[in-house]
Structure formats: structure tokens, C-alpha cells
Amino acid sequence: MTPRPGRLLALAQLANSIGDGAYYVTSALYFTRVAGIAPARVGLGLTLAWGVGSLVGVPFGRLADRRGPRGTSVLLALGTSAAVASFLLVRGFVPFVLTACCYAAAQSGLAATRQALLARLVPPEERTGLLARLQSTLNGGLGVGAALGGLALSAGTPTAYRGVLVLDALCFLASALVLLRLPRGKAVTAPAEDTDGRGGAREDGTVGGGRLTVLRDRPYALLALLNAVLLLRLPLLSVALPLWITERTGAPAWLAAGLFVLNTLAVTLFQVRTARSVTGLDSALRALRGSGLVMSASCVVFAVSAGRPAWPATVIMVAGAGLQVVAEMQHSAGSWQLSFDLAPADRIGEYQGFFGTGATVARTAGPLAVTWLLLDWGSPGWLLLGALMPAAAHAMGPVARRAAGRTPRRAAHPAPERAAYMTPEPAAQPGPEPAAQPAPERASVI
């Protein structure tokens, strides 16, 4: 693969992650202080919005498979930009919910369609490595954006908050323009012999009907469910740990921000290195099993911090956060590999849209689940969560091997058209992720 598609995908990722970083740290105060929406209603509206987002990933991914991932990704990036800009006009709960639903739907669909775009342009053996680089780019962009959002928080004026929304909208517009520079790639169709009755290819080799194959692919669906369990780590950093620090330990409140910075820097620096060892099914499953065990150890360490005074609690929390970020990087690398390798080549967008719903579920239901488990149960809750993680990770092994056993009946994953990298087709014109959004999650990098 020539580096051009990878560079453009990374540039698009950087653009929208800078905007997202600024948006995430200021949106709660904008909605409550400027738009005049009560905090409880902000939380309810965002929950409804991400619930809608969890439903649209598969249809948008299927659309990308049928109509082309580049054009679909561009349109969804433009849609996200328009939704963010629309927040500037929101006054009242109902307009807020409607706009938030459009924003969440566009964001969820964009994640799925850009995964399909990556699969169309990048050979299978290079995908996990590129996703690791995109993950590092994402974290770097979030850090820059969060710093810009911090300036708006320091100013504390309506104009500063509105400026962040304008910045985010422009960043997604820039991302759309970058995606438009990518080659279209060749359409991928399933082979004629793929007639397993699960809505695959027709006899002529074209993609069959509008039926959603992934909903009947039980091994892949179970794999996505187990992955959603592992993604319960997402609300730990943004929701559970800040509350745990302030309510159950003597550590200073600012430690929560420090742990987020530690996590972001570690992923930026070491995700690529962690992903190098993941090259196939066996290595992906080893990484996932290791992730479950390390995450379990992290939960045990966090449990020990209960009731500790400031400095001992701080040291313990930093150690637990260090283990957590190691588990996160292992989990990311392993899950990326499985999600692509076990999906039919002609339905990458559809399957990625379904697999990506785990992050949306973790973003919506996860905060309630982990805060109830950890704050109400205390240290035993940490131990229960620590037991759940390796159990889910180890269960992915037999499920993934069952899914891989169907590989001969799936569409093969052809190498992308190399010529398209060097001479991309002319760009087509576009046609007709408190009770507020938590710190940015990184379950899906593009």
C-alpha cells in the first residue's frame, strides 16, 4: 500500500478529533448556561440521542457497502458538521433532542462508513497497524482540542462556547474535504458460491437484497456482544473514576483529569507498538485474553484505594490507571483484527456498523451500570467487574473460531486496487461519538 490513503485517513481523523476534543469539554456548560437547558434534561436528551445512534450504524454501513463508502462518509461528515452548527440555534428541550439525535446518528454512521472505506483501500494485513496509527492520531487530536476547549472554559463567555461549536463544525467540514480526496476504490462483491441463505451474494456475484446479514450471523453477533462487555471500561475513565476519587478516596479531585491525560498520552505513544504483534486470529485472541487479565488486575488495584488518604490513594489510582491503559490498547488491537477478519468483504460497512454499536451502548448504558456497581457496592463491585472482564475476553476465543469456521462460505477479502492509490478518480460532488456527554471515548477510531 502506498502511504497516501493512510495519510489522508489520518488527516481526516486529526481534523474531526480536534473539534471533538474541544466540544466534549465544553458542551455540557454550553447546553446548560447558554442554551438554557436543565442539566437533567441534557442528560436525558443525550441518552435518547445515543440510543438513536446505536440503531443507525448498521443501516448506514449497509448503505456504504451498496453505494460506496467514500461518498457516504463525506455526506455523513457534512451532516455532523451541520448538526454541530445547528446547536448554535437550539433553544428548548425538543429542538435540542432532535438536533442531538441528528448529531449522534451522523457520528455513529460516520464511524461505520469510514471503517468500510479503510477496508476498501487498505490490504487486510495492514489494517490493524493503520488503525493503531489512527488511534494515536485520535488521542493527539483530542488532547489539542481539549486544550482549546480549556481556553473557552477559562473565558467562560457565551461567545467562547459558541466559538467551540463553530470550530467543531469547521473541523468536520475539513474532514469531509479530506475524505473527498481519497480514491473511490473498486466495488467489492461476494463470489457466486456464497449462497448460504444468510442474505449474501446472488448467483451473479452481486450483493443480495436489502436484508441485514449481520443480524442473522449469530457467532459475529455474539462476538460483538462480548466486545460490548469489554467496552464497559470506557465510562470508567470519564464517569466512574472521577466519582470514586471524590467519594471513596482521599485523593484530590484534580487527579481525575490527570488520569485522563495519562491515558491519552499513553495511547498516543504506545498504541502502534502494541498493535504490531496482532496479525491474525490467534494473535488477536491472545491480545484479548491478555487485556481481560490486565483489566482484572486494574480493577483489583482500584478496589484497594477505597478509604486511603491522599498520597497513598493517588499512587494506587495512578498504578490502576496504568494497567487500565495497557488493557485498553490490547483490547483495541485484538478487537480491530477480529471485527474485520470475520466480516464478509462485501458487507464490511454493515458488519462494522453492528460491531461499533458496542461503543454506543457503553456510552449510554455504561455510566449507569458502572456507577451503580462501583459506588453502591464499593470494593466488591470492583472485584466483580474485574472477574467479568477476563471471562468475556476468554469467551471470545471459541466464538471467534466458530465464526472463522465459516470463512470458506464468506466472501474473500481481496487486496485493494493498487492503481487506485496512485491515480485516484476525480472527486465526486456530494449528492442529494454530570448529566451530560462524558469525556471522549475511543472505541472506534475512524
Side-chain angles (χ1 to χ4, degrees):
M1 182 191 74
T2 64
R4 186 172 181 270
R7 286 200 303 266
L8 291 176
L9 286 169
L11 184 58
Q13 177 73 86
L14 179 64
N16 68 249
S17 62
I18 290 175
D20 272 346
Y23 169 83
Y24 282 126
V25 300
T26 59
S27 59
L29 292 179
Y30 171 80
F31 293 136
T32 55
R33 295 183 179 180
V34 180
I37 303 169
R41 288 196 161 198
V42 172
L44 175 61
L46 291 176
T47 298
L48 293 173
W50 287 112
V52 171
S54 68
L55 300 177
V56 302
V58 173
F60 275 129
R62 183 67 179 132
L63 180 64
D65 292 332
R66 295 175 64 86
R67 301 299 182 185
R70 189 191 70 170
T72 309
S73 297
V74 169
L75 288 175
L76 287 170
L78 292 174
T80 306
S81 177
V84 172
S86 298
F87 280 132
L88 293 167
L89 307 177
V90 164
R91 295 295 183 273
F93 179 65
V94 173
F96 165 68
V97 171
L98 294 176
T99 306
C101 286
C102 293
Y103 170 79
Q107 280 273 52
S108 298
L110 182 60
T113 58
R114 286 201 293 185
Q115 296 281 49
L117 180 60
L118 182 148
R120 188 73 62 89
L121 298 176
V122 180
E125 66 275 10
E126 298 180 21
R127 291 171 187 164
T128 297
L130 177 56
L131 283 166
R133 292 192 290 275
L134 293 176
Q135 185 81 323
S136 297
T137 302
L138 169 67
N139 280 268
L142 289 174
V144 172
L148 295 175
L151 296 177
L153 291 175
S154 298
T157 64
T159 300
Y161 292 132
R162 292 189 182 101
V164 168
L165 293 180
V166 172
L167 171 66
D168 196 18
L170 291 176
C171 284
F172 274 98
L173 177 60
S175 180
L177 295 176
V178 173
L179 291 172
L180 200 57
R181 296 176 57 195
L182 285 164
R184 295 175 185 269
K186 296 292 185 180
V188 181
T189 56
E193 63 269 18
D194 186 10
T195 56
D196 58 1
R198 295 185 294 123
R202 300 188 184 98
E203 292 184 359
D204 62 0
T206 60
V207 177
R211 299 165 60 190
L212 296 179
T213 303
V214 68
L215 301 181
R216 294 180 300 279
D217 191 336
R218 293 180 181 177
Y220 196 92
L222 182 55
L223 198 70
L225 176 62
L226 292 170
N227 188 63
V229 173
L230 296 179
L231 285 171
L232 287 176
R233 61 174 172 77
L234 293 177
L236 290 182
L237 191 65
S238 58
V239 178
L241 285 180
L243 295 174
W244 176 266
I245 289 170
T246 57
E247 295 187 17
R248 292 293 189 126
T249 77
W254 55 259
L255 179 62
L259 296 182
F260 180 78
V261 172
L262 170 65
N263 181 280
T264 301
L265 289 177
V267 174
T268 302
L269 295 174
F270 300 113
Q271 180 67 78
V272 173
R273 183 178 302 178
T274 302
R276 286 175 185 165
S277 61
V278 178
T279 57
L281 178 65
D282 291 338
S283 56
L285 293 176
R286 283 195 300 270
L288 288 167
R289 288 193 295 268
S291 171
L293 293 174
V294 175
M295 191 66 210
S296 180
S298 173
C299 290
V300 172
V301 171
F302 285 137
V304 174
S305 68
R308 303 284 180 177
W311 283 110
T314 299
V315 172
I316 292 171
M317 294 299 294
V318 170
L323 291 171
Q324 182 188 10
V325 72
V326 171
E328 174 184 330
M329 292 186 291
Q330 291 177 318
H331 170 232
S332 295
S335 62
W336 292 331
Q337 188 76 34
L338 293 185
S339 69
F340 279 106
D341 283 1
L342 300 178
D346 61 317
R347 293 177 181 258
I348 287 287
E350 177 185 331
Y351 272 61
Q352 285 297 313
F354 184 77
F355 201 82
T357 59
T360 308
V361 170
R363 183 180 293 169
T364 53
L368 178 62
V370 298
T371 51
W372 169 76
L373 183 64
L374 302 179
L375 297 181
D376 289 354
W377 288 36
S379 294
W382 278 112
L383 299 179
L384 179 59
L385 182 64
L388 182 63
M389 292 296 181
H394 280 72
M396 294 182 82
V399 175
R401 295 190 187 283
R402 181 184 174 192
R406 297 187 179 188
T407 300
R409 300 170 67 184
R410 295 176 181 267
H413 290 262
E417 296 290 334
R418 303 270 176 163
Y421 296 152
M422 303 303 295
T423 56
E425 299 179 30
Q429 296 300 317
E433 193 206 323
Q437 192 165 344
E441 318 292 6
R442 291 182 294 280
S444 184
V445 296
I446 64 170

